[in-house]
Amino acid sequence: MENLIALLVAAPLLGAAVLLCGGRRLDKSGHWIGTVLAAVSFGIGLALFADMLGRGAEERTLHQRLWSWIPVEGFQADIAFQLDQLSMTFVLLISGVGTLIHVYSIGYMEHDERRRRFFGYLNLFVAAMLLLVLADNYLLLYFGWEGVGLASYLLIGFWQHKPSAATAAKKAFLVNRVGDMGLSIAIMLMFTTFGTFAFGPVFGAVGETSEGKLTAIGLMLLLAACGKSAQVPLQSWLGDAMEGPTPVSALIHAATMVTAGVYLIVRSGAVFNGAPDAQLVVTVVGAVTLLFGAIVGCAKDDIKKALAGSTMSQIGYMILAAGLGPIGYVFAIMHLVTHGFFKAGLFLGAGSVMHGMNDEVDMRKYGGLRTYMPVTFVTFGLGYLAIIGFPGLSGFFSKDRIIEAAFAKGGTEGWILGGVALLGAAITAFYMTRVMLLTFFGEKRWQPAPDPDKTPGIEPGVEAHPGEMPHPHESPKSMTIPMIVLAFGSVFAGGFFAIGDRFLNWLEPVTGYAHGHPPVSALTVTLATMAVLVIGVAIAWAMYGRRPVPVVAPRGSLLTRAARRDLLQDDFNHVVLVRGGEHLTRSLVYVDHSLVDGVVNGTAASVGGLSGRLRKLQNGYARSYAVSMFGGTAILIAATLLMRAV
């Protein structure tokens, strides 16, 4: 079965090559080619999964080495894959959800003239993401990491004729380059410390390495994770990335790409276990981001950007859990998988709403859609219940275990992290209830169709004419069937994982597990979580369910206005980085002109001036030379007599 591992990557990679190089002759069939090859990868993943289940826990790690990539003396890099329980979890998530989103895109992108190219980019992304999670060394992982960045850039900016989409793609690319620098430095540190960057030798030598070196490597890995997973301080790109087609938001910014940072930290658990200071920074970043994203999600009227804030927050939960070490590794991945179901479903539901509302994204212009789009309403509603942690649904089993793990950290740190996680749960219940109420309940607040050429954020391909009132309707089956499948995952996946600690037992051989020292019982944590959930829902109902919703948002408080501007993250970046960079550049130019050029030009001027003066001594007159010789002779005689006298 080991020989099948490479085919997981090869199938979507072949699809990308065929679709991007095949030309317009494939325009009518390209979407089917891309979808089938994504499904082939998922089928191979299922076959490997079935084979893995038939093996003992100690025999489930499979390796496949294809060839030597960079064979240099003292430096060996292989194209080799490692398939274990952790990477298998990601393979099934990436290829499974990826296939569903391919199917959804068949209907969603039906009227786009460049649909073939879009499916080529989707295949490229799936191939790169699979390479990332299957690599058996950090250098090959980095290759997939960069491939994911390239594919996300192409997909976010797919409608590059929209200035907002082109700008968002560049922003995502540049912000991620900062994180990628962290990963490249971490790989360099690994090679200089361990002499290799293969997983096995690196993790095996961790116990013999100083804590300082491990901390440096861990912090660089965290920087990389912050870029890909949109964590503070590299989170500014995620909201703007919603300018891409909605299936892109579901695939990249809900289920796969933004989870790459979580995978990197959990895969590198041995490094972080030996660097407690780096682990502490990971938990702080996760805790700050889960609140940051939740607060931003509360103030967004754009349905996709509200879900983007939610994604940022939920990934914060995963990063927080990963920072807890063996106490939280399993639950970080468990929440990652359940989140992949319900958040992908929520994004696809948002796309379905936009499909029926002339691609309008402002929730204040929705209202009462539950009767017009029943399938979308039910599937979106189940995703909503799952993400807020409604008892019995997926989020209840995964997010609550993260909150328990945070308290289990023990001491003051445990109380702080657990309190932050509980507060995040309350805010999640508030903003997601707000999304549900604004979209599916209340009075109709529909507005005439906007002009895509004049209105930012409107996706091309709108069939309605500007000024025409929307006629909400259910989406075609190619869109609703993937939403239904994801809704089943939103409802049942968490409970399936939790029964008999099935998911914990599956991952523990790879990630390890420790119970921690919780200061309160699991029942107490569950009751507290339910209490804050009810409070969040009640506040949202009081604000948006019992009162008329104005089409134009009120000015709001200072915090609300700041949250609408992403808590001033772009303003901060502009002041600190852009203007700071401008001032630094001006200072360097001044130093260059005044000091460097001054020294160089001053030296040249001094030599030139001295040469000019010395040149006057060579005037061509014999009498001048005679006087010089006479003077020189007199000086020598006088000096000789003086020395004898002394």
Side-chain angles (χ1 to χ4, degrees):
M1 296 299 290
E2 293 89 343
N3 295 332
L4 295 179
I5 299 176
L7 296 180
L8 290 167
V9 181
L13 187 61
L14 174 63
V18 169
L19 294 177
L20 296 177
C21 301
R24 294 189 176 276
R25 66 177 66 91
L26 297 177
D27 282 353
K28 294 183 179 180
S29 60
H31 51 288
W32 292 113
I33 294 173
T35 303
V36 168
L37 287 173
V40 167
S41 183
F42 180 57
I44 296 172
L46 288 177
L48 288 167
F49 177 62
D51 176 73
M52 187 175 287
L53 289 177
R55 299 170 179 259
E58 68 282 354
E59 299 175 348
R60 286 177 172 171
T61 300
L62 306 178
H63 292 275
Q64 182 184 15
R65 180 181 180 276
L66 297 184
W67 66 82
S68 181
W69 181 15
I70 308 176
V72 180
E73 184 178 359
F75 185 93
Q76 182 73 26
D78 294 332
I79 301 295
F81 303 120
Q82 174 177 310
L83 184 66
D84 55 19
Q85 293 92 315
L86 178 60
S87 51
M88 175 57 75
T89 302
F90 277 84
V91 164
L92 295 178
L93 178 68
I94 295 164
S95 60
V97 175
T99 300
L100 290 174
I101 292 172
H102 276 71
V103 174
Y104 179 93
S105 300
I106 292 174
Y108 193 87
M109 301 294 291
E110 181 179 3
H111 301 289
D112 196 292
E113 296 179 353
R114 301 168 65 239
R115 182 166 62 166
R116 170 187 54 83
R117 184 179 296 272
F118 179 78
F119 276 83
Y121 292 160
L122 286 183
N123 272 195
L124 178 62
F125 174 84
V126 171
M129 192 69 197
L130 288 171
L131 178 62
L132 189 160
V133 299
L134 287 170
D136 84 332
N137 63 82
Y138 282 98
L139 191 61
L140 186 59
L141 181 151
Y142 184 78
F143 190 80
W145 190 273
E146 291 300 307
V148 168
L150 170 62
S152 68
Y153 167 78
L154 295 173
L155 287 167
I156 294 170
F158 183 73
W159 287 320
Q160 68 266 28
H161 58 275
K162 292 170 53 181
S164 56
T167 300
K170 288 187 289 185
K171 183 176 182 180
F173 190 83
L174 291 174
V175 173
N176 272 271
R177 295 291 72 73
V178 178
D180 295 351
M181 183 62 68
L183 182 55
S184 64
I185 294 174
I187 295 173
M188 296 175 195
L189 290 174
M190 287 177 191
F191 186 77
T192 57
T193 302
F194 306 111
T196 181
F197 31 71
F199 292 156
V202 168
F203 301 154
V206 163
E208 304 171 1
T209 308
S210 68
E211 184 177 316
K213 290 183 178 179
L214 293 178
T215 299
I217 294 172
L219 291 177
M220 290 298 100
L221 292 174
L222 173 60
L223 179 62
C226 287
K228 275 290 184 288
S229 295
Q231 299 292 285
V232 172
L234 300 179
Q235 80 287 3
S236 62
W237 65 272
L238 187 62
D240 297 80
M242 297 302 107
E243 291 293 334
T246 299
V248 174
S249 302
L251 177 64
I252 294 181
H253 310 122
T256 53
M257 173 178 165
V258 290
T259 62
V262 183
Y263 170 80
L264 181 65
I265 293 175
V266 174
R267 174 62 78 187
S268 308
V271 174
F272 285 95
N273 292 340
D277 291 339
Q279 274 189 333
L280 176 61
V281 178
V282 173
T283 58
V284 170
V285 168
V288 170
T289 307
L290 76 87
L291 291 180
F292 188 104
I295 293 171
V296 168
C298 291
K300 293 295 185 180
D301 293 326
D302 184 318
I303 187 171
K304 289 174 64 177
K305 291 192 176 182
L307 294 177
S310 172
T311 297
M312 194 186 306
S313 179
Q314 297 304 307
I315 300 295
Y317 272 104
M318 301 171 205
I319 295 292
L320 168 62
L324 298 174
I327 300 174
Y329 288 145
V330 171
F331 305 125
I333 302 301
M334 182 176 174
H335 191 53
L336 184 153
V337 176
T338 59
H339 176 266
F341 284 113
F342 55 70
K343 184 53 67 63
L346 288 169
F347 267 113
L348 295 188
S352 180
V353 170
M354 294 163 57
H355 179 82
M357 290 293 292
N358 297 338
D359 281 340
E360 176 62 69
V361 295
D362 190 344
M363 294 183 292
R364 291 182 176 275
K365 299 176 182 178
Y366 292 163
L369 293 179
R370 68 186 184 280
T371 58
Y372 297 89
M373 310 179 71
V375 176
T376 300
F377 167 63
V378 172
T379 55
F380 193 98
L382 290 173
Y384 151 72
L385 293 175
I387 195 173
I388 68 173
F390 189 83
L393 274 69
S394 291
F396 171 79
F397 293 100
S398 59
K399 188 165 65 176
D400 280 23
R401 295 302 295 268
I402 292 178
I403 298 174
E404 292 175 19
F407 280 109
K409 184 67 174 177
T412 304
E413 182 182 345
W415 282 104
I416 294 174
L417 295 176
V420 168
L422 276 177
L423 178 59
I427 302 175
T428 300
F430 170 80
Y431 70 73
M432 286 306 303
T433 302
R434 173 178 179 267
V435 171
M436 281 295 296
L437 294 174
L438 289 177
T439 303
F440 296 102
F441 293 88
E443 298 294 328
K444 297 185 294 186
R445 302 179 299 275
W446 308 342
Q447 300 291 311
D451 186 345
D453 296 329
K454 299 179 180 179
T455 306
I458 301 300
E459 299 188 359
V462 181
E463 296 183 11
H465 299 288
E468 180 182 338
M469 289 297 292
H471 300 283
H473 56 279
E474 193 55 85
S475 299
K477 290 184 178 180
S478 63
M479 296 172 64
T480 56
I481 290 176
M483 292 158 55
I484 293 171
V485 175
L486 291 170
F488 270 95
S490 302
V491 174
F492 299 111
F496 177 78
F497 293 156
I499 294 174
D501 286 331
R502 184 179 281 118
F503 197 81
L504 191 155
N505 296 331
W506 166 258
L507 275 187
E508 183 179 3
V510 178
T511 62
Y513 176 67
H515 288 281
H517 306 284
V520 294
S521 67
L523 178 60
T524 301
V525 173
T526 299
L527 292 176
T529 305
M530 292 300 98
V532 300
L533 185 154
V534 171
I535 292 172
V537 171
I539 294 175
W541 173 256
M543 294 180 63
Y544 299 97
R546 300 183 61 185
R547 304 175 185 174
V549 178
V551 175
V552 179
R555 189 165 183 265
S557 65
L558 180 62
L559 177 60
T560 300
R561 296 197 301 273
R564 287 175 184 154
R565 297 178 61 181
D566 299 329
L567 292 180
L568 308 180
Q569 55 183 329
D570 285 332
D571 301 82
F572 176 83
N573 291 341
H574 185 76
V575 171
V576 175
L577 300 178
V578 177
R579 289 188 178 178
E582 291 175 350
H583 291 308
L584 177 61
T585 301
R586 292 192 186 104
S587 299
L588 292 175
V589 169
Y590 176 79
V591 170
D592 179 59
H593 288 171
S594 302
L595 182 61
V596 178
D597 288 354
V599 171
V600 174
N601 295 336
T603 301
S606 299
V607 172
L610 180 61
S611 300
R613 289 175 175 80
L614 291 175
R615 187 168 60 248
K616 293 179 180 180
L617 299 177
Q618 302 293 328
N619 52 23
Y621 294 112
R623 58 181 179 273
S624 298
Y625 299 154
V627 171
S628 298
M629 295 172 64
F630 177 77
T633 302
I635 292 173
L636 288 174
I637 293 173
T640 301
L641 294 176
L642 180 61
M643 292 178 64
R644 287 184 176 181
V646 173

